Amino acid sequence: MTTIALSDWLLARINREDGPPLHRQLHEALLAAVLEGELPAGRKLPSSRLLARELGVARNTVIDVYETLAAQGCLETRHGSGTYVADLSVERIAPPGPAASPEAERAAPRLSARGAAVVEGARVFPRQWGAFMPGVPDVTEFPTRVWARLHNRHWNRAAPERLSYAPAGGLPALRTVLAEHLRTARGVRCEPWQIVITTGIHQSIDLTARLLTDTGDTVWLEDPCYWGLRHSLQSLGLKLRPVPVDAEGVNLSSVSGPPPRFIVATPSHQYPMGMVMSLPRRQALLDYARAHGSWIIEDDYDSEFRYGTRPITSLQGLDRDQLVIYVGSLSKTLFPGMRLGYIVAPLSLAAAFAEGVAELYREGQLQQQAMLADFIAEGHFAAHIRRMRGLYSRRRQALLEAIRAEFGETLPVMGDNAGLHLILHLPGLDDRAIAQAAVEAGIATRPLSGYYHNPGAGQSGLLLGYACVKEEAIAPAFATLAGVLRKFGA
Amino acid sequence: MTTIALSDWLLARINREDGPPLHRQLHEALLAAVLEGELPAGRKLPSSRLLARELGVARNTVIDVYETLAAQGCLETRHGSGTYVADLSVERIAPPGPAASPEAERAAPRLSARGAAVVEGARVFPRQWGAFMPGVPDVTEFPTRVWARLHNRHWNRAAPERLSYAPAGGLPALRTVLAEHLRTARGVRCEPWQIVITTGIHQSIDLTARLLTDTGDTVWLEDPCYWGLRHSLQSLGLKLRPVPVDAEGVNLSSVSGPPPRFIVATPSHQYPMGMVMSLPRRQALLDYARAHGSWIIEDDYDSEFRYGTRPITSLQGLDRDQLVIYVGSLSKTLFPGMRLGYIVAPLSLAAAFAEGVAELYREGQLQQQAMLADFIAEGHFAAHIRRMRGLYSRRRQALLEAIRAEFGETLPVMGDNAGLHLILHLPGLDDRAIAQAAVEAGIATRPLSGYYHNPGAGQSGLLLGYACVKEEAIAPAFATLAGVLRKFGA
């Protein structure tokens, strides 16, 4: 499509006399052009000046729309070169429709009960980037040059053991620097041999559940909590019991009955609500575990990102009884695609956990572990976290301001001054319908009610991730979302 | 340690008047020096000429011993530079003994029943390299320069989606080239959207089991089979039933009772015995599955490595009913540490499998997937397989000759002319005790009896992996093993 053809295509879809504001119409038309393939991946767009002249609109309108689309991941701005249609091809392979595949239609998928539950409840988005995808850090800020240098260093002469299966527990060099990092940054009390490298929180929880529970056992989860754990644990034959969360964190006094095999908790920054667990509640949790022989899994998922001053130590650091299994990952601090998490196992479990991970999953990726050990030891990790903390803090502020600019104080915002997302409460509104409409407008969010054990009984709201949106793109992207919210009466 | 100090240390451990042959004594003394840390990692050894003169032995003796130790992964030869002590540090972190950790000793590990089964039965070796480690390819032959070039290409401008979580099923570009490869190389009938990228056979089987079985269901495994699957499947609450294997492969006529949810089989190259499943047996397997509503998991684990001429198509290619779930990995063709496997799902299951892998494991590593897609598309994969096929074929031959040179025809060898290992039968001997003694002599092997459902009822033998041993090192390494075997009466 030439610039003129594009202008014509857009003009045919814009109604100057009637309908939504011009910038919203233009946004929707360009989004459609990208998603429907009219503008293929890699195509250079006309400059904002040129397109504005062709369309007869203000140049700022075009700039705004380009920025919104860039924030949505549909366009890419290459400095000094221009604006291009992003490659969205990672989501393009799908089974043909029934007409194209009569065989697939004839055969029902015959899943097991647990299999059907996994697939029916699947929540993974087709896209993993753009405003306001929660839980995704700004991976474009990752220092890829440093990473490339480390790659060259370790691949120039790769010891054969490094390309083979991982030894029990992972690469010692990485376990050593991680132990040091967790001791100083999170107050975790650990030795390198207590660290077990995994591919992330899913594997960390799966391993813990396989080693510490049997089919039919009960485990407790915070309510609300990260949805991704439910199917994993259920398909191991476990019974899940939700424990309500209030402003101080998980509240054990509201549950009774037989004690669980373990309790999964997020003391530093409750997921997804964002509050910090109070000290009395932490003590109550440890006391309960000791009295009833339960383990505690402490998921310290994004504790590096606190923008205020209050220092929070880990629950593991308070534990005097070796009852806490501490889990974390580098998905939020570096990039999710790395798939690197870790467990700090209690003394009595460390050897079993290290052997268990090797036996059950046969992991590898030792070259990446070696690169990462250097990345941490040479100070790049700490520097990256410091830098991202500044960026994310400003983005959070920008999102708060955008919310205030659109809605004043009418929509309450929740979440401590920390993390990668905040929650916009929508009392009385249908957050699932709103999230669906937002996706159709090019904005990814997750409905808060979906994090509850019983979604119908949960609070209504949207999780807005601000970490993977450039500061200048936040206001325009939120304006698009505000348009959706208003349609639903916000 | 200077050369003179080393010579003194060695001389103190060598008895010229009595005991085993000099080369074996020297081998054991040097091995002890490395394992006990007398010779630290990275230390350059004296040249064979110099050490031979110091010790007053033939130079060929020293050369032999150096080569054996290199084959064991304890020494590294750097061309033009000399011989160095290898870095064995990947196995060095271990919990302190009880004395150093009274807390750990006091607390029993309190594992669940399934957890205890995993840990007690763990079979993972501390080392993953050297003669005669089965199942490990020669990763030193992997074209790391090509890989580094691809790394630079993909990291120079990494699209943010590539650093985030993987879309359902994995990267389309990789799924597309893998489908093409499997169609042409293995006769697999598939479209790209049927391919689901996993981290290897463990995850492929785990996913299949979670989606197609419920707790308490029965599945059938070949007997003997890969030990790594048992704990995975058992800890999902499944009942495992062994099906005996004979010279034609798995024999369903020997079992009766209710049909299983799925049957795991290795038709191309039975693991670990090495025979090819006959066509009548293949047909019987497909007929059984169709008649009883069972699925078949075809593990085509090292089918690329056939050194004879007989072409074998996959079982999936014969299946007209969409009952076969085909699984494979690049662990054997490229390097195990890559952690990349794939499933070819039947038409009716493909969408569920793609969603299931994203939901249950939240995978990533899209940069590696993109590099690999290029690696395959640009012909490096096919070229590497061709080259390795030649190398492995010669190594297999060298091992057969070494066995014949030491034992004549007294010890039968089993296994088709294919794969990465062969089986040395040891009728009437205790293969576990022999494997243990071999490890102590620096040779890694696995006892055949350990692959049986009931080890006491299995055949006795050793799996000898020849793929990760350089051709010239095979005879000396086997001579060491022969010494062990003779002690046990072979």
Side-chain angles (χ1 to χ4, degrees):
Chain A
M1 227 187 249
T2 62
T3 300
I4 292 174
L6 176 62
S7 310
D8 288 348
W9 199 90
L10 293 172
L11 284 169
R13 278 155 186 82
I14 290 177
N15 181 348
R16 280 167 203 277
E17 313 301 320
D18 201 8
L22 198 60
H23 73 88
R24 191 156 309 153
Q25 290 191 46
L26 181 58
H27 171 251
E28 278 168 20
L30 264 172
L31 184 66
V34 171
L35 294 182
E36 292 163 16
E38 292 285 339
L39 286 173
R43 174 65 55 88
K44 185 173 178 177
L45 289 185
S47 71
S48 53
R49 186 183 308 274
L50 184 60
L51 187 62
R53 203 173 56 210
E54 289 280 337
L55 299 178
V57 303
R59 185 177 169 214
N60 273 346
T61 304
V62 177
I63 291 178
D64 251 25
V65 168
Y66 277 14
E67 279 176 358
T68 306
L69 287 166
Q72 293 172 336
C74 297
L75 299 183
E76 293 171 346
T77 307
R78 302 182 198 159
H79 288 294
S81 165
T83 301
Y84 294 80
V85 177
D87 182 5
L88 301 174
S89 64
V90 293
E91 42 180 308
R92 281 287 160 79
I93 288 196
S101 173
E103 273 183 283
E105 198 190 24
R106 270 207 311 277
R110 290 206 295 144
L111 300 176
S112 61
R114 68 175 155 197
V118 168
V119 174
E120 278 159 28
R123 310 267 184 95
V124 171
F125 264 107
R127 278 176 47 203
Q128 295 292 338
W129 179 253
F132 290 104
M133 189 71 209
V136 175
D138 189 347
V139 297
T140 66
E141 298 287 344
F142 180 72
T144 51
R145 278 195 191 177
V146 174
W147 200 242
R149 203 165 66 227
L150 292 172
H151 189 272
N152 290 336
R153 180 190 301 169
H154 286 279
W155 280 91
N156 263 348
R157 194 179 146 274
E161 293 264 4
R162 291 268 167 89
L163 300 186
S164 194
Y165 298 103
L171 191 75
L174 180 59
R175 297 163 81 190
T176 303
V177 296
L178 272 177
E180 176 62 27
H181 167 72
L182 293 172
R183 275 195 297 262
T184 56
R186 306 291 310 129
V188 171
R189 304 193 306 156
C190 62
E191 296 300 324
W193 56 270
Q194 290 175 265
I195 308 271
V196 174
I197 306 296
T198 69
T199 59
I201 178 76
H202 280 244
Q203 193 178 75
S204 296
I205 300 269
D206 189 68
L207 175 67
T208 306
R210 291 197 200 224
L211 293 182
L212 300 183
T213 71
D214 284 310
T215 299
D217 282 353
T218 298
V219 301
W220 291 359
L221 304 180
E222 293 175 329
D223 192 31
C225 73
Y226 171 47
W227 47 268
L229 299 182
R230 291 206 191 101
H231 290 144
S232 270
L233 292 171
Q234 271 165 344
S235 60
L236 288 174
L238 298 178
K239 298 193 184 100
L240 311 188
R241 177 147 186 207
V243 186
V245 158
D246 63 21
E248 285 189 67
V250 68
N251 188 352
L252 294 188
S253 69
S254 58
V255 285
S256 56
R261 197 68 176 140
F262 62 69
I263 305 167
V264 186
T266 50
S268 302
H269 190 216
Q270 206 279 330
Y271 194 82
M273 301 301 272
M275 81 286 282
V276 178
M277 191 183 292
S278 69
L279 196 60
R281 285 282 171 81
R282 287 172 190 238
Q283 211 50 65
L285 189 54
L286 291 170
D287 290 347
Y288 181 94
R290 186 175 47 242
H292 295 87
S294 302
W295 302 97
I296 299 165
I297 302 180
E298 177 180 22
D299 179 3
D300 208 32
Y301 67 102
D302 69 2
S303 55
E304 293 84 359
F305 297 118
R306 299 206 58 80
Y307 316 121
T309 51
R310 184 164 35 159
I312 304 169
T313 189
S314 64
L315 184 70
Q316 199 265 10
L318 293 176
D319 171 25
R320 292 292 172 270
D321 304 287
Q322 297 286 324
L323 296 171
V324 173
I325 296 143
Y326 177 94
V327 303
S329 94
L330 301 177
S331 296
K332 310 303 181 203
T333 40
L334 298 179
F335 56 94
M338 175 180 279
R339 309 318 303 136
L340 204 139
Y342 43 84
I343 301 173
V344 182
L347 296 168
S348 66
L349 294 179
F353 270 53
E355 285 218 63
V357 78
E359 180 73 10
L360 286 170
Y361 316 108
R362 287 288 263 170
E363 286 304 334
Q365 294 285 2
L366 292 177
Q367 289 282 81
Q368 181 179 270
Q369 291 185 27
M371 289 160 65
L372 188 59
D374 284 0
F375 190 85
I376 297 173
E378 292 172 9
H380 304 297
F381 183 59
H384 184 64
I385 290 175
R386 263 198 312 276
R387 204 165 71 81
M388 299 313 286
R389 204 182 276 142
L391 277 178
Y392 293 160
S393 173
R394 288 194 293 280
R395 291 177 188 181
R396 186 172 194 279
Q397 200 51 43
L399 180 55
L400 287 170
E401 282 161 18
I403 294 170
R404 208 171 299 125
E406 295 279 350
F407 294 104
E409 307 292 332
T410 57
L411 294 181
V413 168
M414 180 148 184
D416 207 52
N417 191 9
L420 306 181
H421 74 270
L422 52 76
I423 289 177
L424 187 65
H425 273 284
L426 301 170
L429 301 182
D430 179 350
D431 57 0
R432 295 187 165 223
I434 292 173
Q436 184 55 42
V439 166
E440 284 159 20
I443 302 285
T445 75
R446 285 188 186 274
L448 175 59
S449 62
Y451 290 75
Y452 284 86
H453 197 78
N454 174 2
Q459 298 188 54
S460 175
L462 291 181
L463 270 75
L464 302 182
Y466 45 78
C468 66
V469 198
K470 301 290 178 196
E471 198 177 337
E472 62 277 15
I474 284 181
F478 189 75
T480 303
L481 180 61
V484 174
L485 286 166
R486 287 205 185 87
K487 280 191 200 151
F488 283 82
Chain B
M1 226 187 246
T2 61
T3 299
I4 291 171
L6 175 63
S7 311
D8 288 348
W9 198 91
L10 293 171
L11 285 169
R13 279 157 187 78
I14 290 176
N15 182 347
R16 283 169 200 277
E17 313 302 320
D18 200 7
L22 198 60
H23 73 90
R24 191 156 308 153
Q25 291 191 47
L26 181 57
H27 171 250
E28 278 167 19
L30 263 172
L31 183 65
V34 171
L35 294 180
E36 292 163 16
E38 292 285 340
L39 286 173
R43 173 67 54 88
K44 185 172 180 177
L45 289 185
S47 70
S48 54
R49 186 183 307 274
L50 184 60
L51 188 62
R53 202 171 57 209
E54 290 279 337
L55 298 177
V57 303
R59 189 180 164 209
N60 274 345
T61 304
V62 177
I63 291 177
D64 250 26
V65 168
Y66 277 12
E67 278 176 359
T68 305
L69 287 166
Q72 293 172 338
C74 297
L75 299 183
E76 291 171 346
T77 307
R78 302 183 198 159
H79 287 294
S81 165
T83 301
Y84 295 80
V85 178
D87 182 4
L88 301 174
S89 63
V90 294
E91 43 179 309
R92 281 286 160 82
I93 288 196
S101 171
E103 273 183 282
E105 197 189 24
R106 269 206 314 275
R110 290 206 296 145
L111 299 177
S112 60
R114 68 174 155 197
V118 168
V119 173
E120 278 160 25
R123 309 269 183 94
V124 172
F125 263 107
R127 276 175 49 204
Q128 295 293 338
W129 181 251
F132 289 105
M133 188 72 207
V136 175
D138 188 348
V139 297
T140 66
E141 297 288 343
F142 180 71
T144 52
R145 278 195 190 174
V146 174
W147 199 242
R149 203 165 66 226
L150 292 172
H151 190 271
N152 290 335
R153 180 190 303 171
H154 286 279
W155 281 90
N156 264 348
R157 193 178 147 273
E161 292 266 3
R162 291 270 167 87
L163 300 185
S164 195
Y165 297 103
L171 191 75
L174 180 59
R175 296 162 81 189
T176 303
V177 297
L178 272 177
E180 175 62 26
H181 167 72
L182 293 172
R183 274 195 300 260
T184 56
R186 304 294 307 130
V188 172
R189 304 194 305 155
C190 62
E191 296 300 324
W193 56 270
Q194 289 176 268
I195 308 269
V196 174
I197 306 295
T198 69
T199 59
I201 179 75
H202 279 245
Q203 194 177 73
S204 296
I205 300 268
D206 189 68
L207 175 67
T208 305
R210 290 197 202 224
L211 293 182
L212 300 183
T213 71
D214 285 309
T215 300
D217 282 352
T218 298
V219 301
W220 291 359
L221 304 180
E222 294 175 329
D223 192 32
C225 73
Y226 171 48
W227 47 269
L229 299 182
R230 292 207 191 100
H231 291 143
S232 272
L233 292 171
Q234 272 165 343
S235 59
L236 289 173
L238 298 178
K239 298 191 185 101
L240 310 188
R241 177 147 185 206
V243 186
V245 158
D246 63 22
E248 285 190 66
V250 69
N251 187 352
L252 295 189
S253 69
S254 58
V255 286
S256 55
R261 197 70 177 137
F262 61 69
I263 305 166
V264 186
T266 49
S268 302
H269 190 214
Q270 205 278 332
Y271 194 83
M273 301 301 272
M275 80 287 284
V276 179
M277 191 184 292
S278 68
L279 196 59
R281 286 283 171 82
R282 288 173 190 236
Q283 212 49 65
L285 190 54
L286 292 169
D287 290 346
Y288 181 93
R290 187 175 45 243
H292 295 86
S294 303
W295 302 97
I296 300 164
I297 302 181
E298 176 181 20
D299 179 3
D300 207 33
Y301 68 102
D302 68 1
S303 55
E304 293 83 359
F305 298 118
R306 298 206 60 79
Y307 316 122
T309 51
R310 184 163 36 159
I312 303 168
T313 189
S314 64
L315 184 69
Q316 198 266 10
L318 293 177
D319 172 25
R320 292 294 173 267
D321 303 288
Q322 297 287 322
L323 296 170
V324 173
I325 296 144
Y326 177 96
V327 304
S329 94
L330 302 177
S331 296
K332 311 300 181 206
T333 40
L334 298 178
F335 56 93
M338 175 180 280
R339 308 317 303 133
L340 204 138
Y342 42 85
I343 301 173
V344 181
L347 295 168
S348 66
L349 294 179
F353 271 54
E355 286 218 63
V357 77
E359 181 73 13
L360 286 169
Y361 315 109
R362 289 286 265 169
E363 286 305 335
Q365 295 284 4
L366 293 177
Q367 289 282 83
Q368 182 178 270
Q369 291 185 26
M371 289 160 65
L372 189 58
D374 285 358
F375 190 85
I376 297 172
E378 292 171 11
H380 304 297
F381 184 59
H384 184 63
I385 290 175
R386 263 197 312 275
R387 204 165 71 80
M388 299 313 284
R389 204 181 276 141
L391 278 178
Y392 293 159
S393 172
R394 288 195 292 279
R395 291 177 189 180
R396 185 170 193 281
Q397 201 51 43
L399 179 55
L400 287 170
E401 281 161 18
I403 293 169
R404 208 170 300 126
E406 294 279 350
F407 294 104
E409 307 291 331
T410 58
L411 296 181
V413 168
M414 178 148 185
D416 207 52
N417 192 8
L420 307 181
H421 74 269
L422 52 75
I423 290 178
L424 186 65
H425 273 284
L426 300 169
L429 300 183
D430 179 350
D431 58 0
R432 297 189 163 222
I434 292 172
Q436 183 56 41
V439 166
E440 283 159 20
I443 302 286
T445 75
R446 286 188 186 274
L448 175 59
S449 62
Y451 290 74
Y452 285 86
H453 196 79
N454 173 3
Q459 298 188 53
S460 175
L462 292 181
L463 268 74
L464 302 182
Y466 45 78
C468 66
V469 197
K470 301 290 177 196
E471 198 177 336
E472 63 276 16
I474 285 180
F478 188 77
T480 303
L481 180 62
V484 174
L485 285 165
R486 288 206 183 84
K487 280 191 201 151
F488 284 82

